[in-house]
Amino acid sequence: DVKVTQSSRYLVKRTGEKVFLECVQDMDHENMFWYRQDPGLGLRLIYFSYDVKMKEKGDIPEGYSVSREKKERFSLILESASTNQTSMYLCASSLAGGDNEQFFGPGTRLTVL
Amino acid sequence: KNEVEQSPQNLTAQEGEFITINCSYSVGISALHWLQQHPGGGIVSLFMLSSGKKKHGRLIATINIQEKHSSLHITASHPRDSAVYICAVDTDKLIFGTGTRLQVFP
């Protein structure tokens, strides 16, 4: 089975802190994605990556950056956390190409105080 | 207007009822996904389809490409089916609906 793991299920940070969210997948998937999920808005794409050291902006990249130094790991970075970044963050991975099923991690619920 | 619209937003049912959740979209797609999210956050893929109909156990998904519409049906619903059901369409990326929260009572 594909397994996508995220470093924390719950995280509480203070405004201005630098926050790292880690995602690891064990099925050698080329594609990895970071989403945030907010009530009434559904999942929105923050950043994605099709290969190591490659990154592309999604729909809402402002305030975030990413890092993909190894194929299995995709990190989301909040350089200076703000209260409007309080959300559920979901990582996903899939095989290369389009029309492939995405496999999701369990999510990290981040609260910024 | 959202590119992916789901209805209803909330749905309650008695155990055993037949459930239908609808998804309409306004963009050209290569595939449509139905996802299930249980309390606690984890999302699992139920179906990916680009035409016709797929069935898995008590779940059936249909898609009409011409009408840009898909339905997810649950036969003989059970309390363990209680979850949020999310429709997502594949363009050059996934575009998600806002989900349908289903509660099935015994």
Side-chain angles (χ1 to χ4, degrees), chain A residues 21-61:
Chain A
L21 302 182
E22 304 283 343
C23 175
V24 177
Q25 49 93 7
D26 65 0
M27 282 302 291
D28 204 35
H29 283 173
E30 290 80 9
N31 301 339
M32 296 189 76
F33 308 85
W34 273 107
Y35 298 94
R36 63 177 284 176
Q37 184 181 31
D38 300 288
L41 295 177
L43 278 80
R44 293 179 292 166
L45 182 63
I46 305 171
Y47 267 96
F48 59 100
S49 170
Y50 289 150
D51 202 352
V52 175
K53 296 192 186 294
M54 179 271 180
K55 59 186 178 185
E56 292 285 344
K57 292 180 180 179
D59 298 318
I60 50 164

mmCIF file of all heavy atoms in Angstrom, chain A residues 21-61:
data_model
loop_
_atom_site.group_PDB
_atom_site.id
_atom_site.type_symbol
_atom_site.label_atom_id
_atom_site.label_comp_id
_atom_site.label_asym_id
_atom_site.label_seq_id
_atom_site.Cartn_x
_atom_site.Cartn_y
_atom_site.Cartn_z
ATOM 1 N N LEU A 21 6.525 21.862 7.745
ATOM 2 C CA LEU A 21 5.648 20.695 7.670
ATOM 3 C C LEU A 21 6.306 19.703 6.712
ATOM 4 O O LEU A 21 6.618 20.050 5.570
ATOM 5 C CB LEU A 21 4.254 21.079 7.166
ATOM 6 C CG LEU A 21 3.497 22.136 7.976
ATOM 7 C CD1 LEU A 21 2.120 22.370 7.386
ATOM 8 C CD2 LEU A 21 3.371 21.731 9.432
ATOM 9 N N GLU A 22 6.506 18.486 7.214
ATOM 10 C CA GLU A 22 7.212 17.492 6.416
ATOM 11 C C GLU A 22 6.249 16.429 5.907
ATOM 12 O O GLU A 22 5.325 16.018 6.600
ATOM 13 C CB GLU A 22 8.281 16.805 7.271
ATOM 14 C CG GLU A 22 9.281 17.735 7.928
ATOM 15 C CD GLU A 22 10.317 18.238 6.956
ATOM 16 O OE1 GLU A 22 10.472 17.633 5.868
ATOM 17 O OE2 GLU A 22 10.961 19.254 7.256
ATOM 18 N N CYS A 23 6.526 15.970 4.698
ATOM 19 C CA CYS A 23 5.717 14.914 4.083
ATOM 20 C C CYS A 23 6.661 13.899 3.454
ATOM 21 O O CYS A 23 7.590 14.285 2.731
ATOM 22 C CB CYS A 23 4.799 15.511 3.019
ATOM 23 S SG CYS A 23 3.844 14.297 2.093
ATOM 24 N N VAL A 24 6.399 12.625 3.727
ATOM 25 C CA VAL A 24 7.230 11.556 3.162
ATOM 26 C C VAL A 24 6.325 10.501 2.550
ATOM 27 O O VAL A 24 5.336 10.095 3.157
ATOM 28 C CB VAL A 24 8.109 10.920 4.260
ATOM 29 C CG1 VAL A 24 8.919 9.763 3.679
ATOM 30 C CG2 VAL A 24 9.039 11.957 4.883
ATOM 31 N N GLN A 25 6.674 10.063 1.330
ATOM 32 C CA GLN A 25 5.935 8.965 0.692
ATOM 33 C C GLN A 25 6.910 7.844 0.363
ATOM 34 O O GLN A 25 8.082 8.082 0.061
ATOM 35 C CB GLN A 25 5.190 9.456 -0.559
ATOM 36 C CG GLN A 25 5.996 10.271 -1.531
ATOM 37 C CD GLN A 25 6.647 9.480 -2.646
ATOM 38 O OE1 GLN A 25 6.407 8.278 -2.810
ATOM 39 N NE2 GLN A 25 7.468 10.143 -3.444
ATOM 40 N N ASP A 26 6.372 6.609 0.397
ATOM 41 C CA ASP A 26 7.257 5.447 0.281
ATOM 42 C C ASP A 26 7.045 4.643 -0.993
ATOM 43 O O ASP A 26 7.437 3.478 -1.063
ATOM 44 C CB ASP A 26 7.099 4.552 1.510
ATOM 45 C CG ASP A 26 5.716 3.925 1.614
ATOM 46 O OD1 ASP A 26 4.863 4.188 0.731
ATOM 47 O OD2 ASP A 26 5.476 3.183 2.579
ATOM 48 N N MET A 27 6.406 5.250 -2.001
ATOM 49 C CA MET A 27 6.109 4.483 -3.215
ATOM 50 C C MET A 27 6.812 5.038 -4.449
ATOM 51 O O MET A 27 6.391 4.777 -5.565
ATOM 52 C CB MET A 27 4.603 4.420 -3.457
ATOM 53 C CG MET A 27 3.910 3.423 -2.566
ATOM 54 S SD MET A 27 4.545 1.732 -2.744
ATOM 55 C CE MET A 27 3.977 1.324 -4.389
ATOM 56 N N ASP A 28 7.870 5.809 -4.243
ATOM 57 C CA ASP A 28 8.665 6.285 -5.368
ATOM 58 C C ASP A 28 7.851 7.136 -6.350
ATOM 59 O O ASP A 28 8.104 7.138 -7.561
ATOM 60 C CB ASP A 28 9.296 5.083 -6.107
ATOM 61 C CG ASP A 28 10.554 5.467 -6.878
ATOM 62 O OD1 ASP A 28 11.295 6.350 -6.379
ATOM 63 O OD2 ASP A 28 10.783 4.923 -7.974
ATOM 64 N N HIS A 29 6.863 7.854 -5.828
ATOM 65 C CA HIS A 29 6.057 8.730 -6.672
ATOM 66 C C HIS A 29 6.853 9.957 -7.098
ATOM 67 O O HIS A 29 7.582 10.548 -6.298
ATOM 68 C CB HIS A 29 4.801 9.172 -5.917
ATOM 69 C CG HIS A 29 3.752 8.118 -5.857
ATOM 70 N ND1 HIS A 29 2.603 8.265 -5.113
ATOM 71 C CD2 HIS A 29 3.649 6.917 -6.453
ATOM 72 C CE1 HIS A 29 1.843 7.195 -5.265
ATOM 73 N NE2 HIS A 29 2.463 6.353 -6.069
ATOM 74 N N GLU A 30 6.640 10.343 -8.353
ATOM 75 C CA GLU A 30 7.318 11.528 -8.862
ATOM 76 C C GLU A 30 6.645 12.818 -8.376
ATOM 77 O O GLU A 30 7.303 13.805 -8.088
ATOM 78 C CB GLU A 30 7.332 11.525 -10.404
ATOM 79 C CG GLU A 30 8.231 10.468 -11.027
ATOM 80 C CD GLU A 30 7.618 9.069 -11.069
ATOM 81 O OE1 GLU A 30 6.403 8.924 -10.771
ATOM 82 O OE2 GLU A 30 8.337 8.112 -11.398
ATOM 83 N N ASN A 31 5.315 12.805 -8.357
ATOM 84 C CA ASN A 31 4.552 14.027 -8.051
ATOM 85 C C ASN A 31 4.228 14.120 -6.569
ATOM 86 O O ASN A 31 3.805 13.140 -5.956
ATOM 87 C CB ASN A 31 3.224 14.032 -8.815
ATOM 88 C CG ASN A 31 3.404 13.959 -10.318
ATOM 89 O OD1 ASN A 31 4.461 14.284 -10.840
ATOM 90 N ND2 ASN A 31 2.360 13.549 -11.007
ATOM 91 N N MET A 32 4.393 15.303 -6.021
ATOM 92 C CA MET A 32 3.971 15.556 -4.649
ATOM 93 C C MET A 32 3.301 16.920 -4.581
ATOM 94 O O MET A 32 3.647 17.837 -5.344
ATOM 95 C CB MET A 32 5.148 15.461 -3.679
ATOM 96 C CG MET A 32 5.747 14.058 -3.619
ATOM 97 S SD MET A 32 6.963 13.824 -2.320
ATOM 98 C CE MET A 32 5.892 13.715 -0.860
ATOM 99 N N PHE A 33 2.346 17.035 -3.665
ATOM 100 C CA PHE A 33 1.473 18.208 -3.597
ATOM 101 C C PHE A 33 1.277 18.630 -2.139
ATOM 102 O O PHE A 33 1.223 17.795 -1.247
ATOM 103 C CB PHE A 33 0.088 17.871 -4.170
ATOM 104 C CG PHE A 33 0.102 17.252 -5.533
ATOM 105 C CD1 PHE A 33 0.278 15.881 -5.690
ATOM 106 C CD2 PHE A 33 -0.083 18.027 -6.662
ATOM 107 C CE1 PHE A 33 0.288 15.300 -6.952
ATOM 108 C CE2 PHE A 33 -0.070 17.451 -7.933
ATOM 109 C CZ PHE A 33 0.118 16.087 -8.078
ATOM 110 N N TRP A 34 1.113 19.930 -1.947
ATOM 111 C CA TRP A 34 0.662 20.456 -0.662
ATOM 112 C C TRP A 34 -0.629 21.233 -0.880
ATOM 113 O O TRP A 34 -0.719 22.107 -1.746
ATOM 114 C CB TRP A 34 1.691 21.389 -0.033
ATOM 115 C CG TRP A 34 2.711 20.689 0.785
ATOM 116 C CD1 TRP A 34 4.023 20.475 0.484
ATOM 117 C CD2 TRP A 34 2.509 20.098 2.083
ATOM 118 N NE1 TRP A 34 4.654 19.784 1.487
ATOM 119 C CE2 TRP A 34 3.744 19.544 2.481
ATOM 120 C CE3 TRP A 34 1.409 19.986 2.942
ATOM 121 C CZ2 TRP A 34 3.902 18.891 3.705
ATOM 122 C CZ3 TRP A 34 1.568 19.337 4.142
ATOM 123 C CH2 TRP A 34 2.806 18.805 4.518
ATOM 124 N N TYR A 35 -1.647 20.896 -0.061
ATOM 125 C CA TYR A 35 -2.937 21.573 -0.081
ATOM 126 C C TYR A 35 -3.226 22.122 1.316
ATOM 127 O O TYR A 35 -2.743 21.609 2.314
ATOM 128 C CB TYR A 35 -4.065 20.595 -0.414
ATOM 129 C CG TYR A 35 -4.005 19.925 -1.757
ATOM 130 C CD1 TYR A 35 -3.409 18.673 -1.911
ATOM 131 C CD2 TYR A 35 -4.565 20.532 -2.880
ATOM 132 C CE1 TYR A 35 -3.375 18.039 -3.155
ATOM 133 C CE2 TYR A 35 -4.536 19.902 -4.118
ATOM 134 C CZ TYR A 35 -3.935 18.670 -4.247
ATOM 135 O OH TYR A 35 -3.908 18.041 -5.476
ATOM 136 N N ARG A 36 -4.091 23.143 1.353
ATOM 137 C CA ARG A 36 -4.721 23.503 2.609
ATOM 138 C C ARG A 36 -6.224 23.364 2.432
ATOM 139 O O ARG A 36 -6.763 23.538 1.331
ATOM 140 C CB ARG A 36 -4.330 24.893 3.113
ATOM 141 C CG ARG A 36 -4.719 26.055 2.256
ATOM 142 C CD ARG A 36 -4.338 27.391 2.910
ATOM 143 N NE ARG A 36 -5.238 27.771 3.995
ATOM 144 C CZ ARG A 36 -5.083 28.846 4.766
ATOM 145 N NH1 ARG A 36 -4.058 29.661 4.566
ATOM 146 N NH2 ARG A 36 -5.942 29.125 5.726
ATOM 147 N N GLN A 37 -6.882 23.024 3.542
ATOM 148 C CA GLN A 37 -8.319 22.787 3.506
ATOM 149 C C GLN A 37 -8.978 23.647 4.555
ATOM 150 O O GLN A 37 -8.651 23.548 5.742
ATOM 151 C CB GLN A 37 -8.618 21.303 3.765
ATOM 152 C CG GLN A 37 -10.093 20.950 3.656
ATOM 153 C CD GLN A 37 -10.354 19.491 3.931
ATOM 154 O OE1 GLN A 37 -9.649 18.856 4.710
ATOM 155 N NE2 GLN A 37 -11.384 18.930 3.302
ATOM 156 N N ASP A 38 -9.913 24.477 4.116
ATOM 157 C CA ASP A 38 -10.632 25.368 5.009
ATOM 158 C C ASP A 38 -12.130 25.186 4.803
ATOM 159 O O ASP A 38 -12.582 24.932 3.675
ATOM 160 C CB ASP A 38 -10.246 26.824 4.728
ATOM 161 C CG ASP A 38 -8.759 27.059 4.923
ATOM 162 O OD1 ASP A 38 -8.334 27.064 6.084
ATOM 163 O OD2 ASP A 38 -8.030 27.206 3.925
ATOM 164 N N PRO A 39 -12.904 25.335 5.876
ATOM 165 C CA PRO A 39 -14.361 25.146 5.767
ATOM 166 C C PRO A 39 -14.969 26.029 4.691
ATOM 167 O O PRO A 39 -14.684 27.218 4.607
ATOM 168 C CB PRO A 39 -14.866 25.544 7.165
ATOM 169 C CG PRO A 39 -13.700 25.314 8.065
ATOM 170 C CD PRO A 39 -12.486 25.644 7.256
ATOM 171 N N GLY A 40 -15.798 25.412 3.849
ATOM 172 C CA GLY A 40 -16.484 26.162 2.810
ATOM 173 C C GLY A 40 -15.655 26.452 1.579
ATOM 174 O O GLY A 40 -16.179 26.944 0.576
ATOM 175 N N LEU A 41 -14.351 26.139 1.632
ATOM 176 C CA LEU A 41 -13.475 26.448 0.494
ATOM 177 C C LEU A 41 -12.919 25.202 -0.176
ATOM 178 O O LEU A 41 -12.335 25.284 -1.249
ATOM 179 C CB LEU A 41 -12.319 27.333 0.946
ATOM 180 C CG LEU A 41 -12.699 28.724 1.438
ATOM 181 C CD1 LEU A 41 -11.458 29.474 1.923
ATOM 182 C CD2 LEU A 41 -13.393 29.525 0.341
ATOM 183 N N GLY A 42 -13.026 24.055 0.461
ATOM 184 C CA GLY A 42 -12.453 22.863 -0.129
ATOM 185 C C GLY A 42 -10.937 22.865 -0.064
ATOM 186 O O GLY A 42 -10.313 23.695 0.604
ATOM 187 N N LEU A 43 -10.330 21.957 -0.783
ATOM 188 C CA LEU A 43 -8.875 21.871 -0.829
ATOM 189 C C LEU A 43 -8.344 22.840 -1.870
ATOM 190 O O LEU A 43 -8.855 22.901 -2.991
ATOM 191 C CB LEU A 43 -8.416 20.458 -1.194
ATOM 192 C CG LEU A 43 -8.364 19.436 -0.068
ATOM 193 C CD1 LEU A 43 -9.741 18.882 0.216
ATOM 194 C CD2 LEU A 43 -7.406 18.315 -0.422
ATOM 195 N N ARG A 44 -7.304 23.556 -1.503
ATOM 196 C CA ARG A 44 -6.672 24.478 -2.437
ATOM 197 C C ARG A 44 -5.188 24.159 -2.523
ATOM 198 O O ARG A 44 -4.540 23.938 -1.507
ATOM 199 C CB ARG A 44 -6.889 25.922 -1.982
ATOM 200 C CG ARG A 44 -8.347 26.390 -2.057
ATOM 201 C CD ARG A 44 -8.505 27.809 -1.576
ATOM 202 N NE ARG A 44 -8.267 27.929 -0.148
ATOM 203 C CZ ARG A 44 -8.078 29.074 0.484
ATOM 204 N NH1 ARG A 44 -8.081 30.211 -0.187
ATOM 205 N NH2 ARG A 44 -7.890 29.093 1.792
ATOM 206 N N LEU A 45 -4.679 24.184 -3.746
ATOM 207 C CA LEU A 45 -3.300 23.783 -4.003
ATOM 208 C C LEU A 45 -2.343 24.920 -3.671
ATOM 209 O O LEU A 45 -2.471 26.026 -4.203
ATOM 210 C CB LEU A 45 -3.153 23.368 -5.469
ATOM 211 C CG LEU A 45 -1.796 22.881 -5.919
ATOM 212 C CD1 LEU A 45 -1.406 21.595 -5.185
ATOM 213 C CD2 LEU A 45 -1.811 22.643 -7.430
ATOM 214 N N ILE A 46 -1.357 24.618 -2.835
ATOM 215 C CA ILE A 46 -0.377 25.628 -2.448
ATOM 216 C C ILE A 46 0.841 25.550 -3.375
ATOM 217 O O ILE A 46 1.220 26.524 -4.014
ATOM 218 C CB ILE A 46 0.067 25.431 -0.989
ATOM 219 C CG1 ILE A 46 -1.142 25.429 -0.048
ATOM 220 C CG2 ILE A 46 1.045 26.541 -0.571
ATOM 221 C CD1 ILE A 46 -0.799 25.027 1.383
ATOM 222 N N TYR A 47 1.465 24.403 -3.407
ATOM 223 C CA TYR A 47 2.633 24.145 -4.251
ATOM 224 C C TYR A 47 2.598 22.689 -4.677
ATOM 225 O O TYR A 47 2.008 21.842 -4.006
ATOM 226 C CB TYR A 47 3.935 24.378 -3.472
ATOM 227 C CG TYR A 47 4.541 25.748 -3.581
ATOM 228 C CD1 TYR A 47 4.293 26.706 -2.605
ATOM 229 C CD2 TYR A 47 5.384 26.082 -4.641
ATOM 230 C CE1 TYR A 47 4.859 27.979 -2.690
ATOM 231 C CE2 TYR A 47 5.958 27.358 -4.726
ATOM 232 C CZ TYR A 47 5.688 28.287 -3.742
ATOM 233 O OH TYR A 47 6.256 29.536 -3.815
ATOM 234 N N PHE A 48 3.281 22.382 -5.784
ATOM 235 C CA PHE A 48 3.476 21.002 -6.161
ATOM 236 C C PHE A 48 4.858 20.823 -6.774
ATOM 237 O O PHE A 48 5.537 21.803 -7.100
ATOM 238 C CB PHE A 48 2.376 20.505 -7.110
ATOM 239 C CG PHE A 48 2.248 21.275 -8.386
ATOM 240 C CD1 PHE A 48 2.790 20.795 -9.563
ATOM 241 C CD2 PHE A 48 1.522 22.460 -8.431
ATOM 242 C CE1 PHE A 48 2.654 21.487 -10.749
ATOM 243 C CE2 PHE A 48 1.384 23.171 -9.619
ATOM 244 C CZ PHE A 48 1.938 22.682 -10.782
ATOM 245 N N SER A 49 5.225 19.563 -6.916
ATOM 246 C CA SER A 49 6.555 19.244 -7.434
ATOM 247 C C SER A 49 6.456 17.998 -8.295
ATOM 248 O O SER A 49 5.857 17.003 -7.890
ATOM 249 C CB SER A 49 7.518 18.993 -6.268
ATOM 250 O OG SER A 49 8.739 18.455 -6.728
ATOM 251 N N TYR A 50 7.065 18.054 -9.465
ATOM 252 C CA TYR A 50 7.073 16.902 -10.372
ATOM 253 C C TYR A 50 8.385 16.131 -10.320
ATOM 254 O O TYR A 50 8.526 15.091 -10.956
ATOM 255 C CB TYR A 50 6.814 17.336 -11.814
ATOM 256 C CG TYR A 50 5.401 17.787 -12.084
ATOM 257 C CD1 TYR A 50 5.141 18.741 -13.051
ATOM 258 C CD2 TYR A 50 4.329 17.276 -11.364
ATOM 259 C CE1 TYR A 50 3.842 19.171 -13.312
ATOM 260 C CE2 TYR A 50 3.031 17.701 -11.605
ATOM 261 C CZ TYR A 50 2.805 18.645 -12.583
ATOM 262 O OH TYR A 50 1.526 19.072 -12.839
ATOM 263 N N ASP A 51 9.356 16.671 -9.591
ATOM 264 C CA ASP A 51 10.649 15.988 -9.554
ATOM 265 C C ASP A 51 11.491 16.610 -8.456
ATOM 266 O O ASP A 51 11.191 17.699 -7.951
ATOM 267 C CB ASP A 51 11.345 16.123 -10.916
ATOM 268 C CG ASP A 51 12.391 15.043 -11.150
ATOM 269 O OD1 ASP A 51 12.699 14.276 -10.210
ATOM 270 O OD2 ASP A 51 12.897 14.970 -12.278
ATOM 271 N N VAL A 52 12.571 15.930 -8.143
ATOM 272 C CA VAL A 52 13.484 16.452 -7.127
ATOM 273 C C VAL A 52 13.980 17.839 -7.533
ATOM 274 O O VAL A 52 14.268 18.090 -8.712
ATOM 275 C CB VAL A 52 14.672 15.490 -6.953
ATOM 276 C CG1 VAL A 52 15.703 16.063 -5.977
ATOM 277 C CG2 VAL A 52 14.191 14.135 -6.465
ATOM 278 N N LYS A 53 14.033 18.727 -6.571
ATOM 279 C CA LYS A 53 14.499 20.100 -6.736
ATOM 280 C C LYS A 53 13.618 20.918 -7.679
ATOM 281 O O LYS A 53 13.979 22.031 -8.055
ATOM 282 C CB LYS A 53 15.956 20.137 -7.202
ATOM 283 C CG LYS A 53 16.928 19.555 -6.188
ATOM 284 C CD LYS A 53 18.359 19.866 -6.541
ATOM 285 C CE LYS A 53 19.329 19.176 -5.608
ATOM 286 N NZ LYS A 53 19.225 19.678 -4.227
ATOM 287 N N MET A 54 12.487 20.403 -8.014
ATOM 288 C CA MET A 54 11.571 21.120 -8.901
ATOM 289 C C MET A 54 10.342 21.510 -8.097
ATOM 290 O O MET A 54 9.855 20.736 -7.275
ATOM 291 C CB MET A 54 11.186 20.211 -10.066
ATOM 292 C CG MET A 54 10.234 20.826 -11.042
ATOM 293 S SD MET A 54 8.543 20.534 -10.563
ATOM 294 C CE MET A 54 7.687 21.371 -11.874
ATOM 295 N N LYS A 55 9.847 22.736 -8.306
ATOM 296 C CA LYS A 55 8.643 23.170 -7.615
ATOM 297 C C LYS A 55 7.853 24.103 -8.514
ATOM 298 O O LYS A 55 8.426 24.828 -9.328
ATOM 299 C CB LYS A 55 8.990 23.862 -6.302
ATOM 300 C CG LYS A 55 9.878 25.090 -6.461
ATOM 301 C CD LYS A 55 10.309 25.640 -5.119
ATOM 302 C CE LYS A 55 11.234 26.839 -5.296
ATOM 303 N NZ LYS A 55 11.763 27.336 -4.009
ATOM 304 N N GLU A 56 6.556 24.073 -8.333
ATOM 305 C CA GLU A 56 5.664 24.932 -9.099
ATOM 306 C C GLU A 56 4.642 25.530 -8.146
ATOM 307 O O GLU A 56 4.140 24.833 -7.248
ATOM 308 C CB GLU A 56 4.924 24.142 -10.175
ATOM 309 C CG GLU A 56 5.795 23.621 -11.308
ATOM 310 C CD GLU A 56 6.195 24.712 -12.271
ATOM 311 O OE1 GLU A 56 5.581 25.785 -12.245
ATOM 312 O OE2 GLU A 56 7.152 24.485 -13.052
ATOM 313 N N LYS A 57 4.316 26.781 -8.350
ATOM 314 C CA LYS A 57 3.292 27.420 -7.530
ATOM 315 C C LYS A 57 1.913 26.880 -7.898
ATOM 316 O O LYS A 57 1.606 26.642 -9.062
ATOM 317 C CB LYS A 57 3.313 28.933 -7.739
ATOM 318 C CG LYS A 57 4.568 29.604 -7.196
ATOM 319 C CD LYS A 57 4.530 31.102 -7.427
ATOM 320 C CE LYS A 57 5.782 31.766 -6.872
ATOM 321 N NZ LYS A 57 5.785 33.236 -7.097
ATOM 322 N N GLY A 58 1.107 26.721 -6.860
ATOM 323 C CA GLY A 58 -0.284 26.369 -7.066
ATOM 324 C C GLY A 58 -1.152 27.607 -7.077
ATOM 325 O O GLY A 58 -0.744 28.662 -7.554
ATOM 326 N N ASP A 59 -2.336 27.490 -6.506
ATOM 327 C CA ASP A 59 -3.286 28.594 -6.546
ATOM 328 C C ASP A 59 -3.064 29.630 -5.440
ATOM 329 O O ASP A 59 -3.410 30.794 -5.599
ATOM 330 C CB ASP A 59 -4.710 28.047 -6.423
ATOM 331 C CG ASP A 59 -5.064 27.138 -7.582
ATOM 332 O OD1 ASP A 59 -4.710 27.487 -8.721
ATOM 333 O OD2 ASP A 59 -5.684 26.088 -7.346
ATOM 334 N N ILE A 60 -2.491 29.199 -4.322
ATOM 335 C CA ILE A 60 -2.337 30.115 -3.177
ATOM 336 C C ILE A 60 -0.947 30.002 -2.563
ATOM 337 O O ILE A 60 -0.786 29.640 -1.408
ATOM 338 C CB ILE A 60 -3.425 29.853 -2.105
ATOM 339 C CG1 ILE A 60 -3.501 28.355 -1.749
ATOM 340 C CG2 ILE A 60 -4.789 30.337 -2.580
ATOM 341 C CD1 ILE A 60 -4.252 28.082 -0.466
ATOM 342 N N PRO A 61 0.115 30.327 -3.306
ATOM 343 C CA PRO A 61 1.470 30.133 -2.774
ATOM 344 C C PRO A 61 1.959 31.227 -1.823
ATOM 345 O O PRO A 61 2.969 31.042 -1.144
ATOM 346 C CB PRO A 61 2.311 30.141 -4.049
ATOM 347 C CG PRO A 61 1.554 31.065 -4.958
ATOM 348 C CD PRO A 61 0.092 30.835 -4.654
#
